[in-house]
């Protein structure tokens, strides 16, 4: 992507076609209305309506929903309900006033209905808990001409046992669905592409659920571990004639997922199959660069793929995390920017549909209409493109697209409530977003003009900040004019250069291990007869350093020198004292990876934990230097009272 700004302004000809297509889709949606997710009565409708009105309630509610499956007792559920929602719970459901009052004696009276309501809410978006539920949904979809992609709920496993279970679930689903499809006869409308039948089994896989041995700081080992888990899935998919899609998760896993996709498909065993695809997230500022690179790889490998173009489901997470850690925000900050980028990348995919078949995943009528209008302009067979929508959402749009002769695939999550809770919260956030299409259409009843307005945005494509270095450096703090305090940014381990930078620092520190470290009293090095041997806890045979072991005589000498220095230090102003802290912080900042590497050997820390310790030390020095200046009012000589 070029560094120049790309100001997307609507093309009059295309806009006329988009508007006409959008009008046609909306007429079809109104002619065949489906029960909208915001039209349901009862607790769910009240929850959604309130969440749109009250952002504070929305945040607390979704936190409660997220933690609910891990609560083991009725008393815990009631306590968390009171702590998270307080009086809001009573306002939401007046009948709960009596229940909460009696909860101390019979907490199950409140906990049971609360958990049942949340489970019912999850059922709006989860197609079922078992492969049998999934087969029923596949057949129901096929009767309507809709194809299905399967998503097994669960992500970010933390143990090998969890990973084993997830792998077996994938293999079991491929087996169950394969047998069911073999009995079902011919494919449905959306399972037919321009060259004949498409794979009727379509499975989406999240890499974070395959193995706990995944970390962006160690892409080589991560990809090796991931391949071991993926190969059985790809082999079984090849035998069953299934399609495997690599889902995209948080930004930290993005480059790892892309590398895994290219690497495993480059193996001789999988160059001829199975059919594969990958999701790309248009809300990422560097998505165009990645998509162009992916298309070039597919052409160079002569490997046709499918690209599921989504806007992205982790916007809140990415924005919050970047703010916490002092990183540049990787997502577009305005929805119009994501929408504009989606349209830009839709056209890029359509222009390369011969090697990267587009699957447009969106509930936004404008986005779908734009893709259709551009495909028609390019003379692309309608069966080349696919439109995807989530289970439990956009049923009217699915029906309208099918009626207009477009292939549709429903994304069907399957699994238990606990691993599905993160998925549920993402859907709730999407449905209550101030600018989301679902809210504009069903809650605010916007007219056609508002629903198909072109997303004009200044896509100054990849600002330098998004491609920032792994270690975000800062200038030294000036004691006489300190900048406002901000926590030290952590290393961005998913940045391409991060692993090599840390590896180089590790190698440099390793070369100096075992050195004799003297004591220091005043300006003089001190060697003692007794020593302290420090060893690597991860490899006790490795000596990290041999340091002097000081005793009472050395302690007396140190106290004497400190006493001599006291008189001058007692007259030092706060600016001078803060300057010492700021210089120490800058020393750590400049030698950050070296100090973190030493901690890896000295304490057996993981790379990210060691870096976090160094960043925390810098934070303390920077924070307390500023606090000293604040308490002193800028120039006191002595500490304030207390």
């Amino acid at each position: 992507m070029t560094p120049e700004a790309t100001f997307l302004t609507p093309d009059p000809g295309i806009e006329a076609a988009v508007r006409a297509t959008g009008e046609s889709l909306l007429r079809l949606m109104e002619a065949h209305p489906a029960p909208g997710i915001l039209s349901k009565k009862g607790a769910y409708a009240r929850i959604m309506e309130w969440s749109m009105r009250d952002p504070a309630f929305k945040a607390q509610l979704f936190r409660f929903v997220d933690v609910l499956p891990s609560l083991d007792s009725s008393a815990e559920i009631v306590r968390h309900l009171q702590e998270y929602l307080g009086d809001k719970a009573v306002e939401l459901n007046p009948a709960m006033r009596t229940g909460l009052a009696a909860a101390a004696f019979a907490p199950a009276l409140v906990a049971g209905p609360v958990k049942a309501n949340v489970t019912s809410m999850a059922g709006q978006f989860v197609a079922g808990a078992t492969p049998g539920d999934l087969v029923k949904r596949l057949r129901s979809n096929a009767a309507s001409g809709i194809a299905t992609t399967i998503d097994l709920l669960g992500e970010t496993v933390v143990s090998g046992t969890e990973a084993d279970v997830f792998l077996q679930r994938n293999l079991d689903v491929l087996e169950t669905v394969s047998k069911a499809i073999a009995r079902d006869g011919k494919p449905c409308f959306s399972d037919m592409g321009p060259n004949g039948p498409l794979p009727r089994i379509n499975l989406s896989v999240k890499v974070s659920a395959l193995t706990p041995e995944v970390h962006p700081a160690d892409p080589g080992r991560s990809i090796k571990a991931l391949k071991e888990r993926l190969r059985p899935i790809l082999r079984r998919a090849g035998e069953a004639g299934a399609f495997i899609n690599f889902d995209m998760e948080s930004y930290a896993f993005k480059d790892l997922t892309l590398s895994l996709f290219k690497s495993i498909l480059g193996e001789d065993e999988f160059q001829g199959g199975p059919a594969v695809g990958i999701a790309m997230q248009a809300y990422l500022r560097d998505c165009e660069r990645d998509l162009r690179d992916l298309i070039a790889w597919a052409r160079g490998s002569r490997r046709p793929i499918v690209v599921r173009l989504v806007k992205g489901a982790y916007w809140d997470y990415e924005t919050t995390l970047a703010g916490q850690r002092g990183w540049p925000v990787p997502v577009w900050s305005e929805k119009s920017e994501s929408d504009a980028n989606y349209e830009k990348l839709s056209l890029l995919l359509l222009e390369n549909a011969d090697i990267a078949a587009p699957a447009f995943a969106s509930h936004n009528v404008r986005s779908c209409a734009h893709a259709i209008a551009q495909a028609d302009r390019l003379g692309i067979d309608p069966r080349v493109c696919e439109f995807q929508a989530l289970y439990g959402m956009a049923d009217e749009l699915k029906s309208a697209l099918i009626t207009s002769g477009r292939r549709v695939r429903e994304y069907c999550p399957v699994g238990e409530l606990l691993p599905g809770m993160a998925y549920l919260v993402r859907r709730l956030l999407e449905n209550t977003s101030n600018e989301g299409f679902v809210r504009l259409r069903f809650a605010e009843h916007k007219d056609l003009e508002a629903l198909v307005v072109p997303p004009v945005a200044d896509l100054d494509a990849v600002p330098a900040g998004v491609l920032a270095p792994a270690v975000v450096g800062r200038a030294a703090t000036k004691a006489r004019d300190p900048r406002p305090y901000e926590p030290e940014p952590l290393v961005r381990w998913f940045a391409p250069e991060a692993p090599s930078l840390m590896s180089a620092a590790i190698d440099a520190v390793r070369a100096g291990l075992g050195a004799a470290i003297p004591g220091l009293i005043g300006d003089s090095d001190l060697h003692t007869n007794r020593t302290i041997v420090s060893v690597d806890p991860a490899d006790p045979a490795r000596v990290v350093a041999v340091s002097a072991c000081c005793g009472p005589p050395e302690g007396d000498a140190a106290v004497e020198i400190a006493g001599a220095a006291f008189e001058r230090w007692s007259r030092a102003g706060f600016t001078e004292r803060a300057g010492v802290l700021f210089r120490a912080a800058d020393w750590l900042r400049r030698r950050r990876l070296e100090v973190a590497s030493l901690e890896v050997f000295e304490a057996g820390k993981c790379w990210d934990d060691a870096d976090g310790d160094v960043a925390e030390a810098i934070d303390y020095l920077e924070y307390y230097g500023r606090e000293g200046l604040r308490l002193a009012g800028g120039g006191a000589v002595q500490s304030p009272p207390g």
Side-chain angles (χ1 to χ4, degrees):
M1 186 177 289
T2 58
E4 293 82 14
T6 306
F7 193 81
L8 297 184
T9 53
D11 175 271
I14 284 295
E15 279 309 309
V18 171
R19 183 182 178 87
T21 304
E23 287 179 348
S24 175
L25 289 174
L26 286 167
R27 281 197 302 270
L28 289 169
M29 291 168 69
E30 289 167 356
H32 301 92
I37 59 167
L38 300 183
S39 66
K40 296 183 184 296
K41 304 301 180 185
Y44 181 69
R46 288 196 298 273
I47 286 171
M48 291 295 95
E49 187 179 337
W50 200 325
S51 295
M52 293 179 191
R53 294 199 318 262
D54 188 341
F57 167 76
K58 170 179 164 178
Q60 289 299 92
L61 171 68
F62 291 177
R63 286 176 180 140
F64 172 73
V65 168
D66 191 40
V67 78
L68 177 62
S70 65
L71 304 180
D72 295 327
S73 69
S74 296
E76 283 185 329
I77 292 174
V78 170
R79 180 171 64 83
H80 280 76
L81 181 68
Q82 292 170 326
E83 289 178 358
Y84 277 88
L85 297 178
D87 293 339
K88 297 283 188 182
V90 173
E91 293 177 45
L92 179 64
N93 185 352
M96 199 172 284
R97 183 185 306 277
T98 303
L100 286 174
F105 306 102
L109 293 176
V110 173
V114 166
K115 197 155 190 173
N117 269 322
V118 173
T119 302
S120 174
M121 187 162 59
Q124 308 280 342
F125 307 105
V126 178
T130 67
D133 295 333
L134 175 61
V135 169
K136 291 179 184 177
R137 186 63 196 178
L138 261 68
R139 288 173 173 156
S140 173
N141 281 345
S144 302
I146 296 174
T148 302
T149 185
I150 308 158
D151 169 46
L152 296 182
L153 289 174
E155 49 197 90
T156 315
V157 297
V158 296
S159 71
T161 301
E162 275 187 300
D164 289 341
V165 170
F166 185 77
L167 172 59
Q168 191 59 48
R169 286 175 63 207
N170 279 274
L171 298 176
D172 290 346
V173 160
L174 288 172
E175 184 72 19
T176 301
V177 176
S178 176
K179 289 178 179 178
I181 284 178
R183 298 191 297 267
D184 285 351
K186 65 180 183 179
C188 74
F189 169 79
S190 293
D191 281 323
M192 295 294 294
N195 300 314
L198 299 167
R200 294 170 67 188
I201 310 172
N202 190 300
L203 178 65
S204 294
V205 177
K206 292 181 176 67
V207 300
S208 72
L210 290 171
T211 173
E213 297 181 61
V214 179
H215 198 294
D218 194 356
R221 180 174 177 177
S222 298
I223 288 175
K224 181 180 178 182
L226 286 165
K227 283 182 175 182
E228 290 297 318
R229 295 288 182 170
L230 263 176
R231 288 189 187 105
I233 296 174
L234 293 177
R235 287 172 189 142
R236 185 68 191 95
E239 294 165 0
F243 175 97
I244 299 297
N245 192 79
F246 289 57
D247 255 345
M248 219 28 110
E249 301 175 77
S250 65
Y251 188 68
F253 288 113
K254 187 255 296 177
D255 287 344
L256 192 63
T257 304
L258 287 167
S259 296
L260 172 68
F261 183 79
K262 297 171 189 174
S263 178
I264 198 165
L265 296 180
E267 295 182 355
D268 291 342
E269 181 180 0
F270 303 118
Q271 286 185 358
V276 293
I278 190 168
M280 300 294 286
Q281 299 162 314
Y283 71 178
L284 294 180
R285 292 172 179 263
D286 53 0
C287 186
E288 182 181 349
R289 181 196 61 178
D290 290 333
L291 182 55
R292 289 187 183 278
D293 181 67
L294 182 65
I295 291 169
W297 170 84
R299 289 202 181 282
S301 304
R302 299 181 181 179
R303 178 63 185 265
I305 60 173
V306 174
V307 175
R308 175 192 291 160
L309 187 63
V310 303
K311 286 175 187 170
Y314 298 80
W315 189 91
D316 300 85
Y317 170 81
E318 301 292 5
T319 303
T320 302
L321 185 72
Q324 286 177 341
R325 300 193 173 179
W327 295 339
V329 180
V331 295
W332 298 106
S333 58
E334 301 293 333
K335 186 178 183 300
S336 60
E337 295 171 325
S338 294
D339 289 345
N341 202 39
Y342 191 91
E343 294 190 5
K344 186 179 182 183
L345 301 186
S346 296
L347 179 57
L348 176 60
L349 277 175
L350 289 166
E351 292 170 341
N352 292 276
D354 60 311
I355 195 69
F360 299 111
S362 177
H363 302 150
N364 188 313
V365 169
R366 160 77 200 193
S367 299
C368 295
H370 174 268
I372 292 170
Q374 291 285 17
D376 290 347
R377 179 183 67 83
L378 294 170
I380 294 174
D381 188 324
R383 292 171 296 176
V384 168
C385 304
E386 183 172 281
F387 293 84
Q388 297 189 359
L390 298 171
Y391 171 82
M393 295 177 65
D395 288 342
E396 292 170 316
L397 178 58
K398 295 169 197 168
S399 177
L401 287 165
I402 284 286
T403 304
S404 61
R406 305 290 165 172
R407 291 196 297 112
V408 175
R409 187 175 301 276
E410 185 176 78
Y411 186 95
C412 286
V414 178
E416 299 296 336
L417 178 64
L418 180 57
M421 201 48 61
Y423 177 85
L424 170 61
V425 171
R426 287 198 294 273
R427 296 289 77 79
L428 295 177
L429 286 168
E430 180 179 347
N431 290 333
T432 55
S433 165
N434 288 338
E435 298 175 289
F437 183 85
V438 171
R439 174 170 176 166
L440 295 177
R441 165 76 174 155
F442 295 104
E444 300 183 9
H445 308 290
K446 295 291 184 181
D447 59 19
L448 171 67
E449 194 63 41
L451 296 176
V452 298
V453 63
V456 179
D458 183 2
L459 300 183
D460 190 4
V462 186
V466 176
L467 301 179
V471 183
V472 181
R474 284 179 173 166
T477 302
K478 298 177 181 177
R480 295 193 178 279
D481 185 24
R483 61 182 176 274
Y485 171 77
E486 291 180 353
E488 191 69 15
L490 298 171
V491 169
R492 301 165 75 238
W493 294 110
F494 48 83
E497 74 277 18
S500 57
L501 286 174
M502 188 64 178
S503 293
I506 290 278
D507 290 342
V509 169
R510 183 187 286 112
L513 293 181
I517 308 298
L520 182 66
I521 299 178
D523 295 324
S524 302
D525 288 346
L526 179 69
H527 295 277
T528 61
N529 293 328
R530 291 189 303 151
T531 57
I532 299 172
V533 179
S534 175
V535 300
D536 182 348
D539 181 7
R542 175 185 286 144
V543 175
V544 177
V546 179
S547 68
C549 180
C550 298
E554 293 81 17
D556 291 341
V559 169
E560 185 176 343
I561 288 177
F566 171 74
E567 187 173 345
R568 188 196 67 78
W569 181 251
S570 66
R571 295 195 300 271
F574 265 71
T575 301
E576 181 181 350
R577 297 183 186 197
V580 173
L581 300 184
F582 295 148
R583 288 196 298 277
D586 190 54
W587 183 94
L588 276 175
R589 192 177 289 117
R590 285 183 283 109
R591 303 181 67 171
R592 173 180 189 150
L593 295 183
E594 176 189 349
V595 176
S597 297
L598 183 59
E599 190 170 327
V600 168
F601 290 112
E602 185 93 39
K605 288 287 183 92
C606 299
W607 289 9
D608 50 353
D609 288 342
D611 173 67
D613 285 347
V614 179
E616 184 180 36
I618 295 171
D619 288 343
Y620 276 124
L621 294 164
E622 293 281 353
Y623 177 78
Y624 285 113
R626 286 169 173 79
E627 281 296 281
L629 293 172
R630 182 183 68 81
L631 292 172
V637 173
Q638 295 181 342
S639 298

